[in-house]
Amino acid sequence: MPRRKPTIHDVAARAGVSKSLVSLALRGSEKVSVDSRLAIEAAAAELGYRPNAAARSLADRRSRAIGVLVLDFNNPIFAQILDGVQQVAGAQGYNTLIVTGSADPIRQESELARLLEFQVEGIILIAHRLTANTIMRISDERPIAIITRRDVTGPNIDTVSNDDRSGAIMAVEYLVSLGHSRIAHITGGDNQIARDRELGYLDAMTSAGLPQHINVIPGDFTDSRGYRAAQELLTAAPDTTAAFVANDLSALGAMAAIEELGRQVPEDFSVIGYDGMALATLRTLNLTTVQQPLIEMGRLAVTNLLKRIDNPNTQPVEMRVDSQLHIAGTCGPPKT
Amino acid sequence: MPRRKPTIHDVAARAGVSKSLVSLALRGSEKVSVDSRLAIEAAAAELGYRPNAAARSLADRRSRAIGVLVLDFNNPIFAQILDGVQQVAGAQGYNTLIVTGSADPIRQESELARLLEFQVEGIILIAHRLTANTIMRISDERPIAIITRRDVTGPNIDTVSNDDRSGAIMAVEYLVSLGHSRIAHITGGDNQIARDRELGYLDAMTSAGLPQHINVIPGDFTDSRGYRAAQELLTAAPDTTAAFVANDLSALGAMAAIEELGRQVPEDFSVIGYDGMALATLRTLNLTTVQQPLIEMGRLAVTNLLKRIDNPNTQPVEMRVDSQLHIAGTCGPPKT
DNA sequence: GACACTAATTGGAACGTTCCAAGAAGGGAA
DNA sequence: TTCCCTTCTTGGAACGTTCCAATTAGTGTC
């Protein structure tokens, strides 16, 4: 097949009309006569013509693509969010360029640059690690929708997030209501989401009159770190009866350690996570958690983004979605 | 910001040189004098110039993008494969267009069309549901690399897969070696991978001298169907002591049902899965499974694809990767 | 039979790059 | 001084679309 790809000119020649008419016809304009339309469609089909998106994007200065930067694929919650993103973007005829840029902010920035060169019309950030500065600079060029974080705002930036602090409070209050008082917290590290959840923990412990039982073990949102943190916890404070873990992935790791150390969940120890990861709520794991509407968050973010693309000068939207306590099988009353 | 995006012309004007020289300089040619290079780089930085990938791709007939069609995001193993894909593609300076096209072949086909319009230089299919016909037709236009399936081949098609049949045999033989004989199989539905795994099960049962205990329950690779299938199984054949489930996700669902029906895994019932899904091998779940080198498979597929892009007339590559038994905590000897 | 009007069609200019053949500037050698 | 060689630099033509203003053909109206 040494022949090059057919272009609109080839179709025009074959159908015996001008390239302009082909362009018009293939985009479904009604000012094309029926005869011409049929001839053109036939010619296009016979040649196996495919419009060249690069040329189109150049000519009408629209790429019909949005870029998505996602922290990584290891945490399945990002896949859930992406699912929502793709649903809406696809339905609106937008392509989705997904890049996953390591946790390294420098590399994330160069991934972003690639997206921008592709002329994406907007950008979605899922759990990014970029500085406020970078984001502000980029948002000058393109609208941005940020999912899960809300610490950076600007005229061209929409956000969709849940209220991590009150979610955390909900989690701790639930443990308290079951009768726990020695409740520890395994954190998600040094980032805004983790900090908010930690603050919620501190708040809730204090207002429950349990400040003396506050116990914070540093983590980093990964399962392996959750595992190690739980080991530390049970070694250093064996009388702890429950833990609020910063996210589901870590909570799964923590549960593994807890059971390995001979404690049954939830009989001997209660664990509550955060996120609503699909697999964790699967009956096998049956993790009690604070569930975010992940797919919905993805959908909302694209919806806002596309609106802003169509109409750049609207007020920035900061959406707060409601998370809810998903009560399953990993929490129970403390052993007395 | 009513000003439009700066182009190469703006940079040229500002640096006091021609657009051609700017183009040369920014692509790092050594035939540009040091003075010019510095002036150009300075001008570009001041203006915040970004090359337009659409224009570039039009001019030199390369998009530097590959397209990935992935079945869905619900099964986390696809995320693992994608991870490998992105690693290699990114390192080679390729963008990745990812579309996830429902299980519906028709829609998958239109997603594919979108990728082709974007002038992707090659396509990766992860667990597709396309007909051989469609794939052959497309492979005429672009090189294709297929991951996990190997039922379609052609001059422009590379594949990376594991040997599902022998993997399945390995799984069943392991159960047999533990002393099981009443071993059931929950399938993955009506597709090549599922069929191969089922054939492996049938083979292994027969050669183990257990044809009378063959028991196949239809499934579809989802966790919820795995759950229902296990319920059926234990109702209809309560003396079964072990199950080989077609994939990990279904296996997790199955385990939930088994435990709900009052049987302990692995004490009362053994479960083995297939895939090596990261979360399933997490200590909490600790699923015994046949582990495919998922990330590696993604890497290999892109590597092959990029080779074929550079050099179209090489022989098609059909890679077979080795899967291995990952022995964890969900299998044990049958209760006597 | 001239006129205005509508419907269908067209060629050319843009879009922002890269490539190419050709030009300008400078330095030696004759 | 002239001429040739490098080394840098340049304008113009592509690439495959879309948009626009302009043209053609056809249809009534008076």
Side-chain angles (χ1 to χ4, degrees):
Chain A
M1 36 168 165
R3 65 186 193 288
R4 51 165 198 61
K5 298 194 62 185
T7 73
I8 206 172
H9 290 97
D10 303 318
V11 177
R14 177 153 194 138
V17 298
S18 73
K19 63 168 186 11
S20 305
L21 197 59
V22 174
S23 169
L24 236 40
L26 293 182
R27 277 174 303 149
S29 153
E30 323 90 356
K31 27 180 52 180
V32 177
S33 70
V34 181
D35 287 359
S36 305
R37 147 159 301 120
L38 292 176
I40 290 169
E41 279 165 358
E46 284 159 22
L47 293 173
Y49 167 75
R50 287 195 196 280
N52 181 326
R56 165 177 297 169
S57 129
L58 189 57
D60 65 20
R61 279 176 231 59
R62 300 207 50 182
S63 62
R64 297 220 148 262
I66 60 173
V68 182
L69 182 68
V70 46
L71 183 58
D72 68 40
F73 280 132
N74 291 323
N75 190 335
I77 73 159
F78 299 138
Q80 286 176 258
I81 298 177
L82 263 178
D83 220 348
V85 168
Q86 292 255 6
Q87 283 173 17
V88 177
Q92 304 279 336
Y94 276 82
N95 270 294
T96 321
L97 269 150
I98 302 177
V99 298
T100 157
S102 50
D104 177 13
I106 306 284
R107 279 196 44 196
Q108 279 208 346
E109 217 176 314
S110 83
E111 304 277 9
L112 260 190
R114 287 233 304 268
L115 288 180
L116 289 169
E117 292 183 9
F118 239 84
Q119 308 302 109
V120 293
E121 298 184 29
I123 290 185
I124 294 196
L125 301 177
I126 304 180
H128 63 91
R129 292 283 162 87
L130 300 159
T131 64
N133 226 304
T134 308
I135 297 180
M136 293 304 292
R137 196 156 33 75
I138 305 264
S139 75
D140 220 61
E141 300 183 47
R142 297 288 170 198
I144 294 185
I146 302 179
I147 306 182
T148 72
R149 286 178 63 176
R150 60 164 182 284
D151 51 344
V152 183
T153 56
N156 215 10
I157 302 177
D158 297 330
T159 59
V160 176
S161 59
N162 88 121
D163 186 335
D164 291 291
R165 192 157 173 169
S166 26
I169 293 176
M170 202 179 342
V172 176
E173 283 178 348
Y174 174 61
L175 292 173
V176 171
S177 79
L178 289 173
H180 293 275
S181 54
R182 297 175 192 282
I183 303 169
H185 175 51
I186 296 176
T187 78
D190 185 25
N191 57 73
Q192 192 223 356
I193 295 174
R195 271 191 300 275
D196 277 358
R197 294 182 186 170
E198 183 177 340
L199 286 175
Y201 164 76
L202 298 175
D203 279 2
M205 289 298 278
T206 308
S207 32
L210 302 169
Q212 72 279 21
H213 290 129
I214 285 176
N215 184 9
V216 174
I217 299 101
D220 67 358
F221 279 149
T222 66
D223 53 321
S224 52
R225 186 68 180 271
Y227 179 82
R228 289 210 313 279
Q231 286 181 324
E232 273 177 50
L233 167 62
L234 289 187
T235 313
D239 55 351
T240 309
T241 63
F244 162 49
V245 187
N247 74 338
D248 288 351
L249 198 59
S250 285
L252 297 185
M255 278 167 62
I258 293 162
E259 293 182 345
E260 277 180 26
L261 290 173
R263 310 228 191 165
Q264 290 277 328
V265 175
E267 292 78 4
D268 308 323
F269 198 96
S270 292
V271 174
I272 185 167
Y274 203 115
D275 275 351
M277 186 174 108
L279 275 166
T281 51
L282 204 77
R283 275 159 295 226
T284 324
L285 289 163
N286 213 18
L287 179 67
T288 294
T289 190
V290 179
Q291 189 161 36
Q292 304 190 60
L294 297 167
I295 298 184
E296 187 58 17
M297 291 168 79
R299 302 175 62 102
L300 288 171
V302 201
T303 308
N304 292 341
L305 188 67
L306 296 184
K307 260 190 213 144
R308 181 167 302 279
I309 288 172
D310 285 342
N311 192 352
N313 292 318
T314 49
Q315 281 296 306
V317 179
E318 294 185 41
M319 281 196 174
R320 209 58 83 76
V321 296
D322 282 330
S323 292
Q324 28 177 318
L325 198 58
H326 172 85
I327 296 179
T330 58
C331 293
K335 238 179 183 161
T336 43
Chain B
M1 43 175 155
R3 65 185 192 290
R4 52 167 196 65
K5 298 194 60 183
T7 72
I8 207 172
H9 290 97
D10 303 317
V11 177
R14 178 154 192 138
V17 298
S18 74
K19 60 164 188 14
S20 305
L21 197 58
V22 175
S23 169
L24 236 39
L26 293 182
R27 276 175 302 150
S29 153
E30 323 90 355
K31 29 179 51 182
V32 178
S33 69
V34 180
D35 286 0
S36 304
R37 149 159 298 122
L38 292 176
I40 290 170
E41 279 167 359
E46 283 159 22
L47 292 173
Y49 167 74
R50 286 195 199 281
N52 181 325
R56 165 176 300 170
S57 129
L58 189 56
D60 65 20
R61 280 176 229 59
R62 301 205 48 182
S63 63
R64 297 219 147 263
I66 59 173
V68 182
L69 182 69
V70 44
L71 183 60
D72 69 39
F73 281 133
N74 291 323
N75 189 336
I77 72 158
F78 299 137
Q80 288 175 254
I81 297 177
L82 263 178
D83 222 348
V85 168
Q86 292 255 7
Q87 283 173 17
V88 178
Q92 306 278 339
Y94 276 81
N95 269 296
T96 320
L97 269 150
I98 302 176
V99 300
T100 156
S102 49
D104 178 12
I106 306 284
R107 279 195 46 197
Q108 280 208 345
E109 215 175 317
S110 84
E111 305 278 8
L112 259 191
R114 286 234 304 268
L115 287 180
L116 288 168
E117 292 184 8
F118 242 84
Q119 309 300 112
V120 292
E121 299 183 25
I123 291 184
I124 294 197
L125 301 178
I126 303 180
H128 64 90
R129 290 284 163 86
L130 299 160
T131 63
N133 226 304
T134 308
I135 297 181
M136 292 304 292
R137 198 156 32 74
I138 306 263
S139 75
D140 221 61
E141 298 185 48
R142 298 286 172 200
I144 294 184
I146 303 178
I147 305 182
T148 73
R149 285 180 62 178
R150 62 164 182 283
D151 51 344
V152 183
T153 56
N156 215 11
I157 301 176
D158 297 329
T159 59
V160 176
S161 60
N162 88 121
D163 185 335
D164 291 291
R165 191 155 175 172
S166 29
I169 294 177
M170 201 177 347
V172 176
E173 283 179 348
Y174 174 61
L175 292 172
V176 171
S177 78
L178 288 173
H180 293 276
S181 54
R182 296 176 192 281
I183 303 169
H185 175 50
I186 296 176
T187 78
D190 186 25
N191 57 73
Q192 190 224 357
I193 295 175
R195 269 192 301 273
D196 278 358
R197 293 181 187 171
E198 183 176 339
L199 286 176
Y201 164 77
L202 297 175
D203 280 2
M205 289 298 277
T206 308
S207 32
L210 301 168
Q212 73 278 22
H213 290 128
I214 285 175
N215 184 8
V216 174
I217 298 103
D220 67 357
F221 279 149
T222 66
D223 51 323
S224 53
R225 186 68 180 271
Y227 178 83
R228 289 211 312 279
Q231 287 182 323
E232 273 177 50
L233 167 63
L234 289 186
T235 313
D239 53 352
T240 309
T241 62
F244 162 48
V245 188
N247 73 340
D248 289 350
L249 197 59
S250 284
L252 296 185
M255 277 166 62
I258 292 163
E259 292 181 345
E260 277 180 27
L261 290 173
R263 310 229 190 164
Q264 290 279 327
V265 173
E267 292 79 3
D268 307 322
F269 198 96
S270 292
V271 174
I272 186 166
Y274 203 114
D275 276 351
M277 185 175 111
L279 274 165
T281 52
L282 204 76
R283 275 158 297 226
T284 323
L285 289 163
N286 214 17
L287 179 67
T288 293
T289 190
V290 179
Q291 188 162 36
Q292 305 190 58
L294 298 167
I295 298 185
E296 187 58 18
M297 290 168 80
R299 303 175 61 103
L300 288 171
V302 200
T303 307
N304 292 342
L305 188 67
L306 296 185
K307 259 189 215 146
R308 179 165 302 281
I309 289 172
D310 286 341
N311 192 351
N313 292 318
T314 49
Q315 281 295 308
V317 179
E318 294 186 41
M319 281 195 176
R320 207 59 84 76
V321 296
D322 282 330
S323 293
Q324 29 175 317
L325 199 59
H326 171 84
I327 296 180
T330 57
C331 292
K335 240 181 182 162
T336 43

mmCIF file with all atom_site columns, all heavy atoms in Angstrom, chain A residues 299-314:
data_model
loop_
_atom_site.group_PDB
_atom_site.id
_atom_site.type_symbol
_atom_site.label_atom_id
_atom_site.label_alt_id
_atom_site.label_comp_id
_atom_site.label_asym_id
_atom_site.label_entity_id
_atom_site.label_seq_id
_atom_site.pdbx_PDB_ins_code
_atom_site.Cartn_x
_atom_site.Cartn_y
_atom_site.Cartn_z
_atom_site.occupancy
_atom_site.B_iso_or_equiv
_atom_site.pdbx_formal_charge
_atom_site.auth_seq_id
_atom_site.auth_comp_id
_atom_site.auth_asym_id
_atom_site.auth_atom_id
_atom_site.pdbx_PDB_model_num
ATOM 1   N N   . ARG A 1 299 ? -17.757 13.514 36.109 1.00 0.00 ? 299 ARG A N   1
ATOM 2   C CA  . ARG A 1 299 ? -18.745 14.059 35.187 1.00 0.00 ? 299 ARG A CA  1
ATOM 3   C C   . ARG A 1 299 ? -18.931 15.558 35.396 1.00 0.00 ? 299 ARG A C   1
ATOM 4   O O   . ARG A 1 299 ? -18.983 16.335 34.439 1.00 0.00 ? 299 ARG A O   1
ATOM 5   C CB  . ARG A 1 299 ? -20.092 13.350 35.368 1.00 0.00 ? 299 ARG A CB  1
ATOM 6   C CG  . ARG A 1 299 ? -20.011 11.844 35.165 1.00 0.00 ? 299 ARG A CG  1
ATOM 7   C CD  . ARG A 1 299 ? -21.355 11.191 35.474 1.00 0.00 ? 299 ARG A CD  1
ATOM 8   N NE  . ARG A 1 299 ? -22.372 11.674 34.590 1.00 0.00 ? 299 ARG A NE  1
ATOM 9   C CZ  . ARG A 1 299 ? -22.837 11.004 33.539 1.00 0.00 ? 299 ARG A CZ  1
ATOM 10  N NH1 . ARG A 1 299 ? -22.387 9.799  33.295 1.00 0.00 ? 299 ARG A NH1 1
ATOM 11  N NH2 . ARG A 1 299 ? -23.740 11.527 32.767 1.00 0.00 ? 299 ARG A NH2 1
ATOM 12  N N   . LEU A 1 300 ? -19.031 15.937 36.634 1.00 0.00 ? 300 LEU A N   1
ATOM 13  C CA  . LEU A 1 300 ? -19.236 17.357 36.937 1.00 0.00 ? 300 LEU A CA  1
ATOM 14  C C   . LEU A 1 300 ? -18.071 18.201 36.446 1.00 0.00 ? 300 LEU A C   1
ATOM 15  O O   . LEU A 1 300 ? -18.256 19.274 35.865 1.00 0.00 ? 300 LEU A O   1
ATOM 16  C CB  . LEU A 1 300 ? -19.413 17.552 38.447 1.00 0.00 ? 300 LEU A CB  1
ATOM 17  C CG  . LEU A 1 300 ? -20.735 17.048 39.019 1.00 0.00 ? 300 LEU A CG  1
ATOM 18  C CD1 . LEU A 1 300 ? -20.694 17.094 40.548 1.00 0.00 ? 300 LEU A CD1 1
ATOM 19  C CD2 . LEU A 1 300 ? -21.893 17.891 38.496 1.00 0.00 ? 300 LEU A CD2 1
ATOM 20  N N   . ALA A 1 301 ? -16.883 17.704 36.680 1.00 0.00 ? 301 ALA A N   1
ATOM 21  C CA  . ALA A 1 301 ? -15.704 18.485 36.301 1.00 0.00 ? 301 ALA A CA  1
ATOM 22  C C   . ALA A 1 301 ? -15.689 18.750 34.794 1.00 0.00 ? 301 ALA A C   1
ATOM 23  O O   . ALA A 1 301 ? -15.477 19.884 34.361 1.00 0.00 ? 301 ALA A O   1
ATOM 24  C CB  . ALA A 1 301 ? -14.433 17.764 36.725 1.00 0.00 ? 301 ALA A CB  1
ATOM 25  N N   . VAL A 1 302 ? -15.940 17.723 33.991 1.00 0.00 ? 302 VAL A N   1
ATOM 26  C CA  . VAL A 1 302 ? -15.942 17.946 32.544 1.00 0.00 ? 302 VAL A CA  1
ATOM 27  C C   . VAL A 1 302 ? -17.078 18.869 32.161 1.00 0.00 ? 302 VAL A C   1
ATOM 28  O O   . VAL A 1 302 ? -16.910 19.743 31.309 1.00 0.00 ? 302 VAL A O   1
ATOM 29  C CB  . VAL A 1 302 ? -16.184 16.655 31.732 1.00 0.00 ? 302 VAL A CB  1
ATOM 30  C CG1 . VAL A 1 302 ? -15.681 16.853 30.325 1.00 0.00 ? 302 VAL A CG1 1
ATOM 31  C CG2 . VAL A 1 302 ? -15.537 15.494 32.370 1.00 0.00 ? 302 VAL A CG2 1
ATOM 32  N N   . THR A 1 303 ? -18.222 18.660 32.759 1.00 0.00 ? 303 THR A N   1
ATOM 33  C CA  . THR A 1 303 ? -19.359 19.507 32.423 1.00 0.00 ? 303 THR A CA  1
ATOM 34  C C   . THR A 1 303 ? -19.000 20.973 32.660 1.00 0.00 ? 303 THR A C   1
ATOM 35  O O   . THR A 1 303 ? -19.209 21.822 31.781 1.00 0.00 ? 303 THR A O   1
ATOM 36  C CB  . THR A 1 303 ? -20.573 19.117 33.284 1.00 0.00 ? 303 THR A CB  1
ATOM 37  O OG1 . THR A 1 303 ? -20.779 17.712 33.151 1.00 0.00 ? 303 THR A OG1 1
ATOM 38  C CG2 . THR A 1 303 ? -21.812 19.858 32.824 1.00 0.00 ? 303 THR A CG2 1
ATOM 39  N N   . ASN A 1 304 ? -18.427 21.262 33.802 1.00 0.00 ? 304 ASN A N   1
ATOM 40  C CA  . ASN A 1 304 ? -18.023 22.638 34.076 1.00 0.00 ? 304 ASN A CA  1
ATOM 41  C C   . ASN A 1 304 ? -16.984 23.121 33.078 1.00 0.00 ? 304 ASN A C   1
ATOM 42  O O   . ASN A 1 304 ? -17.052 24.243 32.574 1.00 0.00 ? 304 ASN A O   1
ATOM 43  C CB  . ASN A 1 304 ? -17.414 22.741 35.484 1.00 0.00 ? 304 ASN A CB  1
ATOM 44  C CG  . ASN A 1 304 ? -18.448 22.515 36.559 1.00 0.00 ? 304 ASN A CG  1
ATOM 45  O OD1 . ASN A 1 304 ? -19.644 22.632 36.311 1.00 0.00 ? 304 ASN A OD1 1
ATOM 46  N ND2 . ASN A 1 304 ? -18.003 22.175 37.756 1.00 0.00 ? 304 ASN A ND2 1
ATOM 47  N N   . LEU A 1 305 ? -16.047 22.249 32.798 1.00 0.00 ? 305 LEU A N   1
ATOM 48  C CA  . LEU A 1 305 ? -14.961 22.632 31.904 1.00 0.00 ? 305 LEU A CA  1
ATOM 49  C C   . LEU A 1 305 ? -15.493 22.963 30.515 1.00 0.00 ? 305 LEU A C   1
ATOM 50  O O   . LEU A 1 305 ? -15.146 23.985 29.929 1.00 0.00 ? 305 LEU A O   1
ATOM 51  C CB  . LEU A 1 305 ? -13.936 21.501 31.802 1.00 0.00 ? 305 LEU A CB  1
ATOM 52  C CG  . LEU A 1 305 ? -12.647 21.837 31.052 1.00 0.00 ? 305 LEU A CG  1
ATOM 53  C CD1 . LEU A 1 305 ? -11.833 22.858 31.819 1.00 0.00 ? 305 LEU A CD1 1
ATOM 54  C CD2 . LEU A 1 305 ? -11.817 20.597 30.784 1.00 0.00 ? 305 LEU A CD2 1
ATOM 55  N N   . LEU A 1 306 ? -16.368 22.106 30.016 1.00 0.00 ? 306 LEU A N   1
ATOM 56  C CA  . LEU A 1 306 ? -16.889 22.347 28.673 1.00 0.00 ? 306 LEU A CA  1
ATOM 57  C C   . LEU A 1 306 ? -17.707 23.629 28.640 1.00 0.00 ? 306 LEU A C   1
ATOM 58  O O   . LEU A 1 306 ? -17.667 24.380 27.669 1.00 0.00 ? 306 LEU A O   1
ATOM 59  C CB  . LEU A 1 306 ? -17.729 21.145 28.200 1.00 0.00 ? 306 LEU A CB  1
ATOM 60  C CG  . LEU A 1 306 ? -16.941 19.839 28.041 1.00 0.00 ? 306 LEU A CG  1
ATOM 61  C CD1 . LEU A 1 306 ? -17.823 18.738 27.482 1.00 0.00 ? 306 LEU A CD1 1
ATOM 62  C CD2 . LEU A 1 306 ? -15.726 20.028 27.159 1.00 0.00 ? 306 LEU A CD2 1
ATOM 63  N N   . LYS A 1 307 ? -18.427 23.879 29.711 1.00 0.00 ? 307 LYS A N   1
ATOM 64  C CA  . LYS A 1 307 ? -19.176 25.139 29.790 1.00 0.00 ? 307 LYS A CA  1
ATOM 65  C C   . LYS A 1 307 ? -18.221 26.315 29.698 1.00 0.00 ? 307 LYS A C   1
ATOM 66  O O   . LYS A 1 307 ? -18.472 27.280 28.979 1.00 0.00 ? 307 LYS A O   1
ATOM 67  C CB  . LYS A 1 307 ? -19.929 25.209 31.128 1.00 0.00 ? 307 LYS A CB  1
ATOM 68  C CG  . LYS A 1 307 ? -21.390 24.861 31.030 1.00 0.00 ? 307 LYS A CG  1
ATOM 69  C CD  . LYS A 1 307 ? -22.100 25.204 32.336 1.00 0.00 ? 307 LYS A CD  1
ATOM 70  C CE  . LYS A 1 307 ? -23.223 24.215 32.597 1.00 0.00 ? 307 LYS A CE  1
ATOM 71  N NZ  . LYS A 1 307 ? -23.378 23.894 34.025 1.00 0.00 ? 307 LYS A NZ  1
ATOM 72  N N   . ARG A 1 308 ? -17.150 26.219 30.434 1.00 0.00 ? 308 ARG A N   1
ATOM 73  C CA  . ARG A 1 308 ? -16.192 27.323 30.441 1.00 0.00 ? 308 ARG A CA  1
ATOM 74  C C   . ARG A 1 308 ? -15.507 27.481 29.095 1.00 0.00 ? 308 ARG A C   1
ATOM 75  O O   . ARG A 1 308 ? -15.163 28.591 28.678 1.00 0.00 ? 308 ARG A O   1
ATOM 76  C CB  . ARG A 1 308 ? -15.156 27.110 31.552 1.00 0.00 ? 308 ARG A CB  1
ATOM 77  C CG  . ARG A 1 308 ? -14.112 28.219 31.660 1.00 0.00 ? 308 ARG A CG  1
ATOM 78  C CD  . ARG A 1 308 ? -13.340 28.117 32.953 1.00 0.00 ? 308 ARG A CD  1
ATOM 79  N NE  . ARG A 1 308 ? -14.262 28.190 34.067 1.00 0.00 ? 308 ARG A NE  1
ATOM 80  C CZ  . ARG A 1 308 ? -14.766 29.326 34.550 1.00 0.00 ? 308 ARG A CZ  1
ATOM 81  N NH1 . ARG A 1 308 ? -14.383 30.476 34.042 1.00 0.00 ? 308 ARG A NH1 1
ATOM 82  N NH2 . ARG A 1 308 ? -15.617 29.310 35.533 1.00 0.00 ? 308 ARG A NH2 1
ATOM 83  N N   . ILE A 1 309 ? -15.308 26.384 28.408 1.00 0.00 ? 309 ILE A N   1
ATOM 84  C CA  . ILE A 1 309 ? -14.699 26.459 27.077 1.00 0.00 ? 309 ILE A CA  1
ATOM 85  C C   . ILE A 1 309 ? -15.629 27.224 26.139 1.00 0.00 ? 309 ILE A C   1
ATOM 86  O O   . ILE A 1 309 ? -15.200 28.086 25.381 1.00 0.00 ? 309 ILE A O   1
ATOM 87  C CB  . ILE A 1 309 ? -14.427 25.041 26.518 1.00 0.00 ? 309 ILE A CB  1
ATOM 88  C CG1 . ILE A 1 309 ? -13.259 24.403 27.281 1.00 0.00 ? 309 ILE A CG1 1
ATOM 89  C CG2 . ILE A 1 309 ? -14.128 25.085 25.034 1.00 0.00 ? 309 ILE A CG2 1
ATOM 90  C CD1 . ILE A 1 309 ? -13.018 22.944 26.968 1.00 0.00 ? 309 ILE A CD1 1
ATOM 91  N N   . ASP A 1 310 ? -16.925 26.923 26.240 1.00 0.00 ? 310 ASP A N   1
ATOM 92  C CA  . ASP A 1 310 ? -17.878 27.605 25.380 1.00 0.00 ? 310 ASP A CA  1
ATOM 93  C C   . ASP A 1 310 ? -18.053 29.057 25.766 1.00 0.00 ? 310 ASP A C   1
ATOM 94  O O   . ASP A 1 310 ? -18.374 29.899 24.943 1.00 0.00 ? 310 ASP A O   1
ATOM 95  C CB  . ASP A 1 310 ? -19.246 26.907 25.462 1.00 0.00 ? 310 ASP A CB  1
ATOM 96  C CG  . ASP A 1 310 ? -19.230 25.608 24.682 1.00 0.00 ? 310 ASP A CG  1
ATOM 97  O OD1 . ASP A 1 310 ? -18.323 25.444 23.844 1.00 0.00 ? 310 ASP A OD1 1
ATOM 98  O OD2 . ASP A 1 310 ? -20.094 24.761 24.916 1.00 0.00 ? 310 ASP A OD2 1
ATOM 99  N N   . ASN A 1 311 ? -17.844 29.313 27.007 1.00 0.00 ? 311 ASN A N   1
ATOM 100 C CA  . ASN A 1 311 ? -18.193 30.631 27.513 1.00 0.00 ? 311 ASN A CA  1
ATOM 101 C C   . ASN A 1 311 ? -17.204 31.035 28.592 1.00 0.00 ? 311 ASN A C   1
ATOM 102 O O   . ASN A 1 311 ? -17.464 30.886 29.787 1.00 0.00 ? 311 ASN A O   1
ATOM 103 C CB  . ASN A 1 311 ? -19.618 30.542 28.088 1.00 0.00 ? 311 ASN A CB  1
ATOM 104 C CG  . ASN A 1 311 ? -20.162 31.908 28.369 1.00 0.00 ? 311 ASN A CG  1
ATOM 105 O OD1 . ASN A 1 311 ? -19.435 32.911 28.280 1.00 0.00 ? 311 ASN A OD1 1
ATOM 106 N ND2 . ASN A 1 311 ? -21.428 31.972 28.730 1.00 0.00 ? 311 ASN A ND2 1
ATOM 107 N N   . PRO A 1 312 ? -16.053 31.556 28.154 1.00 0.00 ? 312 PRO A N   1
ATOM 108 C CA  . PRO A 1 312 ? -14.892 31.726 29.031 1.00 0.00 ? 312 PRO A CA  1
ATOM 109 C C   . PRO A 1 312 ? -15.095 32.680 30.202 1.00 0.00 ? 312 PRO A C   1
ATOM 110 O O   . PRO A 1 312 ? -14.418 32.555 31.203 1.00 0.00 ? 312 PRO A O   1
ATOM 111 C CB  . PRO A 1 312 ? -13.829 32.287 28.090 1.00 0.00 ? 312 PRO A CB  1
ATOM 112 C CG  . PRO A 1 312 ? -14.284 31.946 26.717 1.00 0.00 ? 312 PRO A CG  1
ATOM 113 C CD  . PRO A 1 312 ? -15.782 31.969 26.792 1.00 0.00 ? 312 PRO A CD  1
ATOM 114 N N   . ASN A 1 313 ? -16.043 33.600 30.068 1.00 0.00 ? 313 ASN A N   1
ATOM 115 C CA  . ASN A 1 313 ? -16.035 34.637 31.093 1.00 0.00 ? 313 ASN A CA  1
ATOM 116 C C   . ASN A 1 313 ? -17.035 34.445 32.222 1.00 0.00 ? 313 ASN A C   1
ATOM 117 O O   . ASN A 1 313 ? -17.514 35.396 32.820 1.00 0.00 ? 313 ASN A O   1
ATOM 118 C CB  . ASN A 1 313 ? -16.220 36.004 30.446 1.00 0.00 ? 313 ASN A CB  1
ATOM 119 C CG  . ASN A 1 313 ? -15.003 36.343 29.612 1.00 0.00 ? 313 ASN A CG  1
ATOM 120 O OD1 . ASN A 1 313 ? -13.875 36.099 30.054 1.00 0.00 ? 313 ASN A OD1 1
ATOM 121 N ND2 . ASN A 1 313 ? -15.222 36.839 28.413 1.00 0.00 ? 313 ASN A ND2 1
ATOM 122 N N   . THR A 1 314 ? -17.348 33.203 32.490 1.00 0.00 ? 314 THR A N   1
ATOM 123 C CA  . THR A 1 314 ? -18.254 32.975 33.602 1.00 0.00 ? 314 THR A CA  1
ATOM 124 C C   . THR A 1 314 ? -17.465 32.912 34.909 1.00 0.00 ? 314 THR A C   1
ATOM 125 O O   . THR A 1 314 ? -16.257 32.692 34.912 1.00 0.00 ? 314 THR A O   1
ATOM 126 C CB  . THR A 1 314 ? -19.019 31.665 33.406 1.00 0.00 ? 314 THR A CB  1
ATOM 127 O OG1 . THR A 1 314 ? -18.066 30.650 33.073 1.00 0.00 ? 314 THR A OG1 1
ATOM 128 C CG2 . THR A 1 314 ? -20.000 31.794 32.274 1.00 0.00 ? 314 THR A CG2 1
#
